[in-house]
Amino acid sequence: MPLRIRLSLLILSCFMVFFTAPAEPPLLPASEAAKNDLWSAFNQRLQSNAAIRPLAFDLFTPELDTAFLTADGNTAVLWLALRDDYGRRLATEPGLALARQTPTGWQILLPGDPDWQEMLISLPPQSLPGEIQPLPANLQNEEIIIHAPLTGYYLPYAAGTARWMEGSISHFQFIPELGYPSCSIEYCRYAYDFTDYTSFPLLASKEGYVLASRDSCPDGSPTCTNYIVLHNRAEDTYQIYLHLAYGTIPDKLTPGTFVQRGQYIGDSDDTGYSTSQHVHFMVVDKNTLYFSNSGYYWGRSMDIRFADVPINNGIPRNCYEVTRFPIYDGATECLGNKLDPRNPANDWYVSGNVGAFPPTGSLTRPAAGATLLEGTGSMIDVTATATDDVRVTGVRLVVKVNGQWVEAGPKVTTPVQSSLYDWDVDLCSAGPLNGEVEIALRAWDHEGNMAAALSPRSVFVDHACPPSASQLKLAEVFDSTAVRLSWDGFDNGAGFGGFELQWRQEPDTWQNGGILTIPSHRRSVWFVGKPGASYAFRLRAIDINGQVEDWPAGDAAERFATLPSYCQSDENEPDDTPAQARSLRAGEWLSANLCGADNSDWYRIEILSAGNYLIPAFSHNGGAAVKMRLFAQDAASEVAAAQAAAAGENAYLRFHSPGSGIYYLQVESLLPDLMGTEAVYRLNLWEVQDTFLPLISR
């Protein structure tokens, strides 16, 4: 791409810079050996100042970014980068140290040293960053005008994306051991550095006309700065964006071109006076704007407020700045944890800068009104077209679920040709769709803009997700007429609506009546059959849309079980009448089995004092489940009753005794056919205390 120095009305001044600038040769990159010597000298200087190191050293470690030498090799400029205690290198303008050659080696000068300013002025001005160059003579006596804060600015990146606010007032803090300030308060009070670990697209923070731009500098160049400047004619102010990436400013942005807020203006990078990829953004007053000897525009920053910054009346700050530096402009807040100011989770500012030219596009398939799937699985073919003023970076199908657009299938980044995209989508990934459904296209562009729902249309979906599936495990048989059946369920996307267990007595055929309906959360059930009979079982799953799994092929059974025809009574028999009742005492466990049709077990209970009592009957083995009836001392007047909900379930009988007395408890099998030597239940008697919680309403 050709060199861009779009200077509009300042072409003549540029001519003068190149042909009347001082004749001193520029600074030259230092060799690796010279860098090592300079860095060693710098560290020796720091060690001599160790006793008075500033608080900044608690969180930052300086390192050499790069170094330059004068042509005679007697003077050096060191660019200092900072690495925080999380190991992250700051993306901002470097600190600066100077060095001069002496008979004993390099002598390091830091900001504030007696000879600092004199030595700085002696260097070739076109080789120093504009931030630290002396003002042009015509501006040195310019009166500083205090303006009211300018509003209507937005963060210079796409809405919905977040970037790290690396620094603002950090620019001008006096920390000589770290090479700061990198810029004076007069020029950088309202300058902001935004980064994202890598290059990212930039959008105009406010509308303006292109004054000048350049993007011919190689990425990462320390001596050449890419930039763009926008002139807002209504305010007569200039937006300066520095450190842009090579070849990213759109060709159409020639001098005088109008740029809308939110329009793409290029990518951030690390060109010029910078330690890592970021954008340096500020707004400059018309009376102080000038073209520096470093080849980019500079001037005094103006107080601007970002409409999408939710703190400090629109002033972004990072947590390090509001906890370690003086407070400026009342900005006391940051986005994050002030007790851990350099935490990488802090200070990510989400933009509200809606793109001026978001991507456009339309679905071409599926067509509106089409019926999809119809038993063919869950994959559908999608085609679409999408375009953008810069470039489209991805498209995706979206489906409306519960009133919200949900992304379905992959994000496709490569067209099959030009602006045409063709891909397959697993429709089940959006949810258990069935019936009329609204779909649309979502598209992203290079800037980070997202078009949420392009070309919406309604289609009909015949079960987006395959039926749920199930697999019966081996039947668990006991010396009991109860068989425990358990299974695995396989959700294919829709979620379980329930299960149906079908049984038949061998050698009969499957009957519609022989089906147990089981809730979706269950993965086991007890089946009670006739003594001595053999049974076959099969299971199928049902999803939440009512889609039913097929029965096993060939009308086959999945599992079989044969039940015992007789049982052995427990050692407590006979206990079939009140006169034969066993004593049940509080805290004592008693066990018995369910053996023989119409078998009843009786228990005698002696209550010593008034109170509330609970008799639990636990299913101990073999699917035992009982029903209980409590009688008064006459063994005929019923006091309370309870029963288990199903085979293998527990039962709880609760009663109140007004005083001491005798009660009789009758226990029977829950089901007539439920019996077996191993069909064992356990009883206990507990005194219980009622606790009433307060009822709170509002």
Side-chain angles (χ1 to χ4, degrees):
M1 182 173 290
L3 178 67
R4 295 194 185 95
I5 303 180
R6 304 167 182 161
L7 302 182
S8 187
L9 301 178
L10 296 178
I11 292 177
L12 179 59
S13 64
C14 179
F15 180 88
M16 294 177 63
V17 166
F18 286 117
F19 290 95
T20 65
E24 298 95 327
L27 298 177
L28 303 173
S31 66
E32 289 302 316
K35 288 180 182 178
N36 291 335
D37 291 342
L38 289 165
W39 188 235
S40 176
F42 176 82
N43 282 296
Q44 289 177 14
R45 170 68 191 269
L46 288 191
Q47 291 172 8
S48 67
N49 290 6
I52 56 171
R53 278 184 174 176
L55 186 61
F57 272 89
D58 295 341
L59 296 177
F60 297 108
T61 301
E63 58 188 40
L64 186 64
D65 182 78
T66 190
F68 304 92
L69 298 175
T70 53
D72 59 12
N74 292 325
T75 306
V77 178
L78 289 72
W79 287 14
L80 305 177
L82 301 181
R83 197 170 292 277
D84 67 18
D85 56 346
Y86 279 90
R88 184 177 177 277
R89 197 182 214 222
L90 271 64
T92 184
E93 285 69 44
L96 212 64
L98 303 178
R100 58 188 171 195
Q101 191 69 264
T102 70
T104 58
W106 287 107
Q107 179 191 14
I108 298 295
L109 276 74
L110 298 176
D113 283 350
D115 296 338
W116 170 266
Q117 194 62 33
E118 179 182 350
M119 188 172 178
L120 192 66
I121 294 174
S122 71
L123 295 170
Q126 69 268 37
S127 299
L128 294 178
E131 288 86 330
I132 58 175
Q133 289 183 16
L135 270 179
N138 64 316
L139 295 179
Q140 290 181 5
N141 297 318
E142 185 72 34
E143 180 183 0
I144 299 176
I145 301 174
I146 305 299
H147 297 272
L150 299 173
T151 59
Y153 287 85
Y154 285 77
L155 295 169
Y157 41 89
T161 62
R163 311 295 180 206
W164 173 287
M165 211 291 290
E166 188 71 271
S168 57
I169 58 174
S170 304
H171 288 98
F172 55 82
Q173 299 305 312
F174 186 71
I175 313 174
E177 290 81 358
L178 300 181
Y180 277 80
S182 63
C183 174
S184 70
I185 185 174
E186 181 180 1
Y187 292 93
C188 286
R189 179 163 179 163
Y190 304 106
Y192 302 97
D193 289 339
F194 296 100
T195 184
D196 193 11
Y197 304 112
T198 186
S199 177
F200 63 90
L202 299 171
L203 304 186
S205 178
K206 201 171 189 178
E207 70 274 7
Y209 293 84
V210 177
L211 171 71
S213 69
R214 177 170 61 194
D215 66 353
S216 58
C217 305
D219 291 342
S221 169
T223 58
C224 185
T225 303
N226 292 325
Y227 67 89
I228 188 169
V229 180
L230 303 181
H231 178 206
N232 184 283
R233 295 175 181 175
E235 295 174 345
D236 213 2
T237 58
Y238 294 86
Q239 304 163 45
I240 295 179
Y241 304 79
L242 298 179
H243 315 304
L244 273 62
Y246 170 79
T248 60
I249 298 174
D251 291 337
K252 64 183 179 181
L253 298 188
T254 56
T257 302
F258 178 70
V259 175
Q260 300 182 42
R261 176 176 67 80
Q263 185 171 339
Y264 174 66
I265 55 174
D267 287 3
S268 67
D269 201 79
D270 185 27
T271 56
Y273 188 45
S274 168
T275 58
S276 188
Q277 293 168 319
H278 76 288
V279 63
H280 176 100
F281 173 69
M282 63 184 187
V283 177
V284 173
D285 182 274
K286 65 173 182 178
N287 295 319
T288 64
L289 179 77
Y290 68 96
F291 190 74
S292 72
N293 286 328
S294 298
Y296 53 89
Y297 283 89
W298 194 248
R300 294 190 182 107
S301 62
M302 301 179 69
D303 186 356
I304 63 170
R305 305 299 169 95
F306 293 96
D308 46 357
V309 169
I311 58 173
N312 303 324
N313 292 318
I315 300 176
R317 289 281 189 269
N318 66 41
C319 290
Y320 180 79
E321 291 173 330
V322 299
T323 57
R324 296 296 196 272
F325 297 147
I327 300 301
Y328 298 85
D329 302 296
T332 60
E333 298 304 314
C334 65
L335 298 181
N337 182 2
K338 293 181 180 179
L339 299 178
D340 186 10
R342 289 302 298 180
N343 192 309
N346 293 347
D347 307 313
W348 288 87
Y349 284 82
V350 179
S351 173
N353 195 355
V354 177
F357 301 108
T360 60
S362 64
L363 287 172
T364 53
R365 189 168 55 234
T371 298
L372 308 180
L373 300 179
E374 295 186 291
T376 60
S378 62
M379 303 298 292
I380 64 170
D381 183 40
V382 178
T383 58
T385 58
T387 58
D388 183 66
D389 65 317
V390 181
R391 67 177 179 273
V392 174
T393 57
V395 296
R396 199 169 194 175
L397 185 74
V398 289
V399 181
K400 187 166 283 187
V401 179
N402 297 325
Q404 301 294 323
W405 289 109
V406 175
E407 294 181 353
K411 182 178 181 181
V412 182
T413 58
T414 305
V416 293
Q417 61 183 49
S418 185
S419 60
L420 177 64
Y421 296 80
D422 187 346
W423 73 105
D424 293 329
V425 170
D426 181 357
L427 206 53
C428 183
S429 66
L433 310 172
N434 189 47
E436 186 175 3
V437 173
E438 193 170 2
I439 62 174
L441 177 70
R442 178 164 292 174
W444 292 262
D445 64 14
H446 173 70
E447 303 94 291
N449 300 313
M450 180 182 72
L454 301 169
S455 186
R457 77 264 320 265
S458 291
V459 295
F460 294 90
V461 177
D462 183 5
H463 292 294
C465 300
S468 300
S470 62
Q471 176 64 58
L472 270 176
K473 300 178 182 179
L474 288 173
E476 295 180 71
V477 294
F478 305 84
D479 194 351
S480 167
T481 57
V483 178
R484 187 172 186 268
L485 296 162
S486 59
W487 59 89
D488 292 319
F490 306 96
D491 175 16
N492 288 325
F496 295 106
F499 299 90
E500 288 183 343
L501 176 70
Q502 191 170 30
W503 55 272
R504 74 184 182 201
Q505 186 173 338
E506 295 288 68
D508 289 347
T509 58
W510 302 109
Q511 302 293 325
N512 289 335
I515 292 180
L516 299 177
T517 301
I518 304 166
S520 61
H521 66 279
R522 295 289 298 269
R523 293 297 181 271
S524 67
V525 69
W526 287 92
F527 172 82
V528 178
K530 297 182 181 300
S534 294
Y535 291 90
F537 304 96
R538 64 182 184 179
L539 182 76
R540 64 182 180 183
I542 304 171
D543 70 18
I544 62 172
N545 289 327
Q547 191 175 198
V548 181
E549 176 188 12
D550 290 334
W551 291 119
D555 224 24
E558 291 184 79
R559 300 300 175 194
F560 299 90
T562 299
L563 309 183
S565 58
Y566 66 95
C567 62
Q568 179 66 47
S569 297
D570 60 59
E571 62 184 10
N572 303 308
E573 296 290 348
D575 55 1
D576 301 333
T577 67
Q580 299 168 326
R582 299 166 62 192
S583 292
L584 177 62
R585 290 180 287 270
E588 179 183 6
W589 286 101
L590 296 181
S591 298
N593 68 11
L594 303 174
C595 184
D598 300 323
N599 177 60
S600 291
D601 297 330
W602 283 84
Y603 300 88
R604 183 179 183 274
I605 301 171
E606 183 177 357
I607 299 297
L608 301 179
S609 61
N612 296 314
Y613 294 86
L614 176 69
I615 302 174
F618 291 113
S619 178
H620 181 64
N621 196 19
V626 302
K627 51 186 177 182
M628 298 182 287
R629 298 173 69 192
L630 184 70
F631 297 92
Q633 188 169 352
D634 62 5
S637 302
E638 186 173 309
V639 174
Q643 67 179 40
E649 301 287 340
N650 303 325
Y652 301 90
L653 187 149
R654 190 180 185 281
F655 69 98
H656 175 74
S657 179
S660 61
I662 303 298
Y663 295 88
Y664 288 91
L665 177 69
Q666 182 188 28
V667 179
E668 297 177 291
S669 177
L670 177 67
L671 303 169
D673 290 330
L674 178 53
M675 54 172 282
T677 304
E678 291 185 331
V680 179
Y681 67 89
R682 300 185 71 197
L683 287 180
N684 207 328
L685 172 67
W686 298 332
E687 185 176 4
V688 294
Q689 184 72 38
D690 287 334
T691 301
F692 297 97
L693 297 176
L695 178 63
I696 301 174
S697 63
R698 61 178 182 178

